[in-house]
Amino acid sequence: MSTYLSINRRGLLRVGGLAAAGAVAACAPTVTAPAPAPVGGAGSQGATKAAWEKDWDDLVAAAKKEGPLVLVTNLGPGFKDAAAAFEKAFPGVTVELITQLASAFAPKAVQERQAGVYSYDVTTQPNGTVPLTLIPAGAMDPIRPLIVRPDILDDKSWRGGFEAGFPDKDKKWGYAGFQEVHRAVWINTDLIKEGEIKTFDDLLNPKWKGKIVGGDPRTFGGGWWPGTTMRLKRSDDSLIKRLFKDQEVAISRDSRQQIEFLIKGSYPIGILASTASLLPEFLAQGVGKNIKWIPMDEMDNLNGGISVAFVFNKAPHPNAAKLFVNWLLTKEGYAVWSKAAGTNSRRTDVPPTDPQLVPTPGMKLIAIDRDEFADEWRKTQELAKQSLG
């Protein structure tokens, strides 16, 4: 393989709510640029002010006149605070936040656009749903032309360089400023003894039949990433049926429900999707300490997490969208967003939020969310549909 490594709707009711990288690539030449202006305010004053800083000040002023930025994120309680940090950095620019799984949001967004409704500005989601649905539907604009700050374009700001953040073949549609180990397999330590589950083959043991909860491999995310990973690592398409069908995995498309089932012991094993962003919510309530990640080469993978940034075309607030994208990719933006998403920024000046998500030497992980694997994503879905109906 070539790569290892508050909900209001303006004009229409929008359903959201709480229930909603990159591999190292060839690096672009390092950009030599003046020191960036403070992210939240005007640039340096006087005759020596750089041209980009004047443009930045104009962008901030224009964004303040547009109305609320309509931002769609994946699930996670921290995104409200992250959006508030953006508002604090740019007083007068407000955010209308929608948190929803991409698999639920994307079809709805496509239907709305077919009806001539254009009401979203930016979305931060895992790479997968967007390139397979929203981009082919003509709903997105390339993000690359919007990235203008020299402190973002500088290769030294990023582990692996700036260019490595584009997961698509065209290197323009979305930007993955995060990189994480996607931890697929979890157990309830109240129900499973240490060492009972260690390898992928253990999951296929008949004793665990009907005792696993997992995401749906027929849809984006959930069981899709680990399902594709295990197929590729084992070169065995039959594993989709052997695991999800023959082991009678309880399929759920609700990431929060999956974690709840595991914590409560309804199922002792979980193939989970959004643990990094959702588990802190449970831990804050005093529950969830009884679930543990089991490292598993055949299921774990490397990806850009749940916050790959994309921009909509015909966005109602284009200046606010451009402002947000650039803020997000700065040191200040990612310092906040990393905590909200529960993952680690690729920026060299932002320390890891979760050391467990940092790839370690010896881990042979496929960067499964890169567009080069798009055909394999589709194949996993088809195999799952054949097995599960």
Side-chain angles (χ1 to χ4, degrees):
M1 294 174 195
S2 55
T3 308
Y4 274 90
L5 278 98
S6 249
I7 298 175
N8 291 327
R9 169 64 181 285
R10 305 170 69 88
L12 276 179
L13 175 63
R14 232 193 249 125
V15 180
L18 280 175
V24 176
C27 296
T30 300
V31 176
T32 302
V39 173
S44 57
Q45 303 299 315
T48 61
K49 188 172 185 177
W52 81 267
E53 294 177 285
K54 175 61 167 62
D55 291 342
W56 180 258
D57 294 343
D58 291 344
L59 177 63
V60 174
K64 292 179 179 181
K65 299 176 182 179
E66 287 185 336
L69 168 79
V70 183
L71 172 64
V72 184
T73 72
N74 208 275
L75 298 178
F79 291 118
K80 181 178 179 180
D81 292 337
F86 172 67
E87 293 178 330
K88 183 177 180 180
F90 303 98
V93 182
T94 58
V95 177
E96 181 184 340
L97 177 66
I98 300 167
T99 58
Q100 191 171 32
L101 287 173
S103 57
F105 166 73
K108 187 164 46 183
V110 171
Q111 291 179 352
E112 291 178 4
R113 294 180 69 86
Q114 291 172 343
V117 178
Y118 307 97
S119 52
Y120 307 108
D121 295 305
V122 180
T123 185
T124 58
Q125 299 284 355
N127 192 54
T129 307
V130 174
L132 290 188
T133 59
L134 292 172
I135 292 176
M140 315 308 290
D141 270 345
I143 197 173
R144 182 188 279 272
L146 302 187
I147 304 174
V148 297
R149 290 181 60 93
D151 53 322
I152 299 173
L153 296 168
D154 191 340
D155 274 336
K156 295 191 297 293
S157 297
W158 304 96
R159 297 178 180 88
F162 172 72
E163 288 292 313
F166 295 99
D168 59 277
K169 295 177 181 179
D170 296 329
K171 299 293 181 182
K172 67 178 184 179
W173 290 105
Y175 198 82
F178 297 96
Q179 186 181 70
E180 69 173 23
V181 176
H182 178 262
R183 300 171 290 180
V185 181
W186 297 72
I187 63 170
N188 182 314
T189 58
D190 296 333
L191 301 174
I192 296 183
K193 297 177 182 179
E194 187 76 26
E196 278 194 276
I197 300 290
K198 294 187 296 184
T199 69
F200 176 77
D201 290 324
D202 291 332
L203 295 177
L204 302 180
N205 190 317
K207 71 180 291 185
W208 304 122
K209 186 174 182 177
K211 297 181 180 180
I212 305 174
V213 61
D216 193 342
R218 296 167 296 187
T219 63
F220 306 111
W224 187 36
W225 291 140
T228 303
T229 303
M230 71 183 185
R231 283 184 44 245
L232 296 177
K233 293 297 285 285
R234 286 277 184 116
S235 299
D236 188 350
D237 291 345
S238 73
L239 292 178
I240 297 295
K241 177 181 181 297
R242 292 172 61 192
L243 177 60
F244 290 97
K245 173 68 173 180
D246 297 349
Q247 287 295 79
E248 298 181 0
V249 173
I251 300 297
S252 172
R253 296 185 182 182
D254 186 329
S255 298
R256 181 175 285 101
Q257 183 186 63
Q258 295 169 27
I259 299 176
E260 288 176 346
F261 281 155
L262 188 61
I263 292 173
K264 293 177 180 179
S266 302
Y267 298 89
I269 304 170
I271 302 173
L272 307 183
S274 302
T275 312
S277 60
L278 292 179
L279 184 56
E281 177 183 349
F282 290 91
L283 294 175
Q285 298 171 19
V287 297
K289 294 182 179 180
N290 62 334
I291 69 172
K292 177 184 178 181
W293 168 48
I294 304 298
M296 199 168 288
D297 282 348
E298 292 93 338
M299 302 285 277
D300 295 333
N301 53 75
L302 193 68
N303 62 51
I306 63 173
S307 288
V308 180
F310 298 90
V311 292
F312 287 86
N313 62 20
K314 299 184 180 181
H317 314 101
N319 291 295
K322 182 176 181 179
L323 182 66
F324 175 81
V325 165
N326 282 272
W327 171 82
L328 176 65
L329 272 56
T330 62
K331 173 184 177 181
E332 292 78 6
Y334 270 147
V336 174
W337 213 263
S338 293
K339 294 180 181 179
T343 189
N344 301 326
S345 173
R346 289 179 49 251
R347 285 196 63 102
T348 57
D349 48 12
V350 178
T353 296
D354 187 345
Q356 289 192 88
L357 300 184
V358 178
T360 58
M363 297 180 78
K364 297 180 180 180
L365 301 175
I366 299 174
I368 200 64
D369 68 337
R370 313 301 284 193
D371 277 11
E372 64 187 90
F373 294 112
D375 289 342
E376 299 295 346
W377 307 341
R378 296 184 182 96
K379 187 173 183 179
T380 293
Q381 290 178 313
E382 289 305 313
L383 290 169
K385 290 175 183 177
Q386 292 170 19
S387 298
L388 301 175

